[in-house]
Amino acid sequence: MQGRKNYTEKLFLSFRLSDRFPKENLYRRLRETLDLRFLYKDTKELYGDTGTPSIDPVVFFKLLITGYLENISSDRKLMEHCSMRMDVLYFLGYDLDEELPWHSTISRTRQLYPESLFLTLFNKVFTLCVDSGMVSGHTQAVDSAPIKANASMESVVPKMPATPMEDHLKKVTEENRETTKKQGGTISPVQISAPEHELKRVEKHHQNLRDSPVRLVGASHKKARLLSNKTHYNPHDPDARISVKPGKARKLNYHCSMAVDTAEGVISNIQADFADGRDSQYLKDISLKVQDRLRKNELIMTDILADAGYSNGSNYDFLEKRKVTGWIPVFGKYKPWIEGFPYNKEKDEYSCPMNKPLPFKGFSTNKDGVVSKNYWAAPRDCKACPMKPSCVPNRKCKNITRTIYDEQYPGAYARQHSERGKRMKNLRQSTVEPVFGSLTQFYGLRKIGVLGKAGANKVMLMAAIAFNLKKYLKKGGKKPSMGIFEAIMDVFQGYLTTIYRHIRPRPVLPIAP
């Protein structure tokens, strides 16, 4: 018999959200697992005693977690999405007929709450993962990636030279009086803070690009400009920095630095830095934060894995003093020895092929603050040497300049080329790089939708929180050791049953008379 569905709208309904989705639902399990009531105490001082009630702090952070779990970076789209999902409404604590907060409330509240509050939530989730046995702590993999800022390269403007304000305004007035009348005194331009030698270095690099016989792609475009963080900035987001990755266009980015525990891939630290800095500049700060977080959870870091971008003698020395083994390859141009010039560690001197000494003469510091050790041969020895035309044709004597961390580099070089070093490299690549791919593709970290370094740090922390929460729920929120113990007990019970069947006494049959 053919069926036909007739719909008549009911006046009264008996309906409960909790009855409409299974117990294995992600948001149902998340509501039962995640306790955010501590937020009421931590945010109480941010509000007054009178006025219109604000958005519930717990609801606010649940909305953010939902956005990163659903890979939605727009607050407006997030509210539209939540209003159509019953499981999300149940997670937020809203019923079908309740109106969700306005999307602009999310943006204003994000600006109101300090970074420390987001960091507290990250630590709470990380502790959940530690309690579940998902974090070993002893080995951490570190890496970084540029994340697109909410700013355009077309909006970049020159910084103001480090000259008196009156002279600058006078020059602008002479060049364009009308513009000065409309804008003079209303915009405070950012001053150039780079030292003179760095500005000269930038100008020399740009001049080499202009004089190069091979024209760069797009150099002939009418909007093409030679830009540098030393001389230009974006007024919309001054914290964004110009950076470039090989094979990609120059963009305004933020630098995302991340540490991942190698046991289960749990993120142990994530932070936003300026994109014009080198990776090696941020390793000390990352390792200190990771060690402090692990110590609070009664764990110890013994090894740290990173790529050659973190290679730095200062970093090697820092890790050794912290009793941490750094599996960080040295940079490609490093040589553990100088061919033809053996080194005597006891005398702290080199010897040339003619067996003449090059003793240590002192330290020197360049304009960038890098300290080096200098070894010089005696001018009289080089003057009488038959190899001078090929060794030092344009100088009086031979000199060797080495880093003050020359003792740390050989150890890192040896670790890099050892069998364990190769395994550590594979471990780093299989641990931290997939996590970065997941954050950018599935957790809303393809672009920073807010302004400022503080806002970028909040975005990265929330993406890491969502990632760790989902990984925690996939493990069932139980300790893996308990699961292994239960499996062993099941196998052991099976063995006992089998043995019992073989050794149990057989019934004695009566003997016939």
Side-chain angles (χ1 to χ4, degrees):
M1 178 179 176
Q2 184 185 40
R4 179 173 295 185
K5 177 69 173 68
N6 295 320
Y7 173 72
T8 303
E9 190 171 5
K10 295 181 180 179
L11 184 60
F12 301 100
L13 292 174
S14 177
F15 182 86
R16 289 200 309 176
L17 281 174
S18 58
D19 297 335
R20 296 298 167 175
F21 37 87
K23 294 182 179 180
E24 295 77 16
N25 180 269
L26 172 65
Y27 291 100
R28 183 175 193 140
R29 295 176 59 200
L30 198 57
R31 174 172 174 166
E32 296 171 355
T33 302
L34 191 61
D35 185 8
L36 300 178
R37 287 176 293 180
F38 71 93
L39 294 170
Y40 294 119
K41 180 180 178 182
D42 292 351
T43 59
K44 186 175 181 180
E45 296 181 354
L46 301 174
Y47 298 100
D49 298 330
T50 60
T52 306
S54 69
I55 183 176
D56 189 317
V58 173
V59 173
F60 167 75
F61 277 98
K62 284 186 175 182
L63 281 168
L64 293 188
I65 292 172
T66 302
Y68 290 101
L69 288 174
E70 299 293 331
N71 198 16
I72 300 174
S73 57
S74 169
D75 295 337
R76 188 187 299 270
K77 291 183 179 180
L78 174 62
M79 304 314 298
E80 294 177 358
H81 180 81
C82 293
S83 64
M84 297 183 292
R85 289 278 299 271
M86 289 192 297
D87 54 348
V88 174
L89 290 175
Y90 179 71
F91 172 58
L92 298 175
Y94 278 74
D95 217 328
L96 287 175
D97 56 350
E98 286 188 87
E99 187 176 356
L100 290 172
W102 191 245
H103 65 86
S104 61
T105 306
I106 306 299
S107 177
R108 292 195 300 268
T109 307
R110 185 189 292 110
Q111 296 175 15
L112 172 66
Y113 288 168
E115 294 177 70
S116 58
L117 189 60
F118 291 78
L119 188 59
T120 301
L121 179 56
F122 176 83
N123 291 333
K124 293 280 186 181
V125 175
F126 182 75
T127 302
L128 283 177
C129 297
V130 172
D131 294 340
S132 295
M134 298 169 59
V135 180
S136 62
H138 54 77
T139 306
Q140 303 291 320
V142 178
D143 203 357
S144 63
I147 307 296
K148 178 73 173 66
N150 189 15
S152 172
M153 289 288 291
E154 296 182 357
S155 303
V156 171
V157 297
K159 292 183 178 180
M160 188 192 75
T163 57
M165 180 66 73
E166 293 78 8
D167 297 344
H168 177 68
L169 293 177
K170 183 178 179 180
K171 183 178 179 180
V172 174
T173 304
E174 294 174 355
E175 293 179 354
N176 194 338
R177 295 181 180 276
E178 295 182 1
T179 305
T180 305
K181 290 180 181 179
K182 295 180 180 179
Q183 300 182 356
T186 60
I187 300 177
S188 178
V190 176
Q191 291 191 359
I192 293 178
S193 57
E196 186 176 354
H197 73 277
E198 291 187 4
L199 296 176
K200 289 182 179 179
R201 188 183 303 164
V202 171
E203 179 58 30
K204 183 179 179 180
H205 174 66
H206 289 176
Q207 189 61 42
N208 292 337
L209 293 177
R210 297 187 191 98
D211 299 339
S212 175
V214 181
R215 300 285 291 178
L216 297 175
V217 178
S220 59
H221 195 275
K222 62 180 181 180
K223 291 186 178 181
R225 293 182 294 172
L226 293 174
L227 304 175
S228 170
N229 290 307
K230 309 294 183 184
T231 57
H232 293 78
Y233 80 107
N234 188 291
H236 181 63
D237 188 359
D239 289 343
R241 297 289 189 269
I242 303 170
S243 66
V244 60
K245 211 174 181 183
K248 295 187 178 181
R250 296 164 65 88
K251 295 180 180 179
L252 287 165
N253 297 320
Y254 282 100
H255 188 91
C256 179
S257 301
M258 184 171 63
V260 179
D261 187 84
T262 56
E264 297 287 346
V266 174
I267 300 174
S268 55
N269 186 74
I270 192 168
Q271 62 187 52
D273 297 305
F274 294 116
D276 57 346
R278 296 181 179 179
D279 292 347
S280 58
Q281 298 176 1
Y282 306 120
L283 183 65
K284 295 179 182 178
D285 184 41
I286 295 170
S287 59
L288 286 174
K289 290 180 179 178
V290 172
Q291 280 190 312
D292 182 62
R293 186 170 290 115
L294 292 174
R295 190 183 300 109
K296 291 178 180 178
N297 290 278
E298 300 180 351
L299 297 173
I300 299 175
M301 181 176 68
T302 60
D303 299 87
I304 191 167
L305 318 178
D307 57 23
Y310 293 89
S311 174
N312 187 300
S314 176
N315 290 338
Y316 294 142
D317 181 63
F318 171 79
L319 293 176
E320 286 183 8
K321 291 179 179 178
R322 305 286 297 186
K323 297 181 180 180
V324 177
T325 303
W327 300 91
I328 307 173
V330 298
F331 51 88
K333 295 183 179 181
Y334 171 77
K335 295 182 180 180
W337 61 85
I338 301 177
E339 188 174 355
F341 291 82
Y343 176 69
N344 188 325
K345 186 176 181 180
E346 294 180 358
K347 295 182 179 180
D348 193 16
E349 68 178 20
Y350 287 87
S351 299
C352 73
M354 301 302 293
N355 203 24
K356 297 296 182 180
L358 281 78
F360 170 67
K361 292 296 184 180
F363 298 96
S364 62
T365 306
N366 63 10
K367 294 181 179 179
D368 294 325
V370 179
V371 182
S372 303
K373 295 179 68 176
N374 297 314
Y375 299 83
W376 292 83
R380 63 178 180 275
D381 293 337
C382 290
K383 186 177 181 180
C385 180
M387 296 182 63
K388 185 180 185 302
S390 60
C391 184
V392 279
N394 300 323
R395 287 178 292 179
K396 293 182 179 180
C397 59
K398 175 69 175 180
N399 75 296
I400 295 176
T401 302
R402 301 293 287 180
T403 174
I404 59 175
Y405 302 105
D406 207 22
E407 295 183 1
Q408 285 76 23
Y409 274 101
Y413 186 83
R415 288 192 296 270
Q416 172 188 352
H417 291 85
S418 65
E419 290 298 324
R420 189 182 177 191
K422 296 176 182 178
R423 293 195 301 268
M424 287 296 191
K425 178 182 177 182
N426 294 332
L427 179 62
R428 178 190 62 81
Q429 292 175 341
S430 61
T431 300
V432 67
E433 293 181 5
V435 175
F436 257 122
S438 298
L439 291 181
T440 55
Q441 298 297 324
F442 307 111
Y443 290 87
L445 207 59
R446 182 180 293 272
K447 179 181 178 181
I448 303 296
V450 299
L451 302 178
K453 180 172 172 286
N457 197 35
K458 296 175 185 178
V459 169
M460 294 178 187
L461 284 170
M462 289 307 305
I465 289 169
F467 179 87
N468 286 348
L469 274 175
K470 193 168 185 179
K471 187 172 285 291
Y472 171 78
L473 292 179
K474 282 184 178 180
K475 291 294 179 181
K478 298 180 181 179
K479 293 187 177 181
S481 57
M482 292 299 297
I484 295 173
F485 178 75
E486 291 174 359
I488 294 174
M489 290 302 297
D490 291 340
V491 175
F492 184 66
Q493 185 68 30
Y495 280 125
L496 287 178
T497 304
T498 304
I499 294 172
Y500 174 74
R501 288 175 180 175
H502 284 83
I503 67 174
R504 66 180 179 178
R506 296 183 179 181
V508 180
L509 298 177
I511 301 176

